Amino acid sequence: MKTITVNIVTPDGPVYDSEVSMLIAVTATGEMGVMPGHVPTVAPLGIGAVRLKKDNSTEIIAVNGGFLEIRPEKATILAQSAERATDIDLARAQEAAKRAEALLQAKNADTDFKRAELALKRAMNRINVYEGNS
Ligand code: ATP
């Protein structure tokens, strides 16, 4: 079976480096599926799950923004942060979601709503990836 190498890198270091048969990522304009031989492309990524398909298994990684660079034999994701499902601290993500929700509900004029919304989105993405719901 044909494969494509996927590298996921963050400022904290490499998160993933393996051959897969398909990668599905959430780009700024929607889901994008990448198979071996894909045309060279660069796409900005949103906050979302990256799904990596191998023979009979799929690994899911929570990715927070960045860029996806595709070449026919290799896809590289440079992300602000990325966690494999097994590395996600569920309690931390739940606390982060609670904090962001409280800020959004308090409707305080001093709140940076965009920032709180992004924090909530990061936390919900981590929770969904941890729970395998992505
Ligand atoms: P928090 O408020 O809990 O710090 P955050 O969304 O502000 O969450 P980020 O700034 O996105 O956190 O990430 C900072 C670092 O912490 C990154 O290295 C990221 O991978 C890691 N990280 C954040 N939340 C979690 C989590 N729930 N489980 C594992 N690692 C996490």
Side-chain angles (χ1 to χ4, degrees), residues 12 64 81-83 87-89 92-93 96 99 122 126:
D12 295 331
N64 164 26
S81 66
E83 302 91 32
D87 291 332
I88 289 174
D89 178 339
R92 177 175 168 177
R99 277 197 310 277
R122 285 196 301 277
R126 288 176 176 129

Side-chain angles (χ1 to χ4, degrees), residues 8 23-26 45 48-52 59-63 77 129:
I8 301 179
L23 165 161
I24 300 165
V26 181
L45 293 177
V50 168
R51 298 201 291 278
L52 300 148
E59 171 154 9
I60 309 177
I61 299 192
V63 170
I77 288 176
V129 168

Side-chain angles (χ1 to χ4, degrees), residues 70-134:
I70 306 165
R71 286 185 275 124
E73 75 295 348
K74 185 171 179 181
T76 305
I77 288 176
L78 299 174
Q80 303 296 333
S81 66
E83 302 91 32
R84 298 172 92 125
T86 47
D87 291 332
I88 289 174
D89 178 339
L90 180 63
R92 177 175 168 177
Q94 286 168 335
E95 283 303 314
K98 253 194 244 166
R99 277 197 310 277
E101 272 166 354
L103 278 172
L104 291 168
Q105 273 164 19
K107 298 196 166 64
N108 185 326
D110 293 335
T111 298
D112 183 340
F113 283 93
K114 189 75 203 158
R115 191 169 160 189
E117 272 170 10
L118 287 173
L120 180 57
K121 212 169 167 189
R122 285 196 301 277
M124 293 313 299
N125 184 36
R126 288 176 176 129
I127 292 167
N128 287 333
V129 168
Y130 180 91
E131 291 177 345
N133 293 333
S134 294

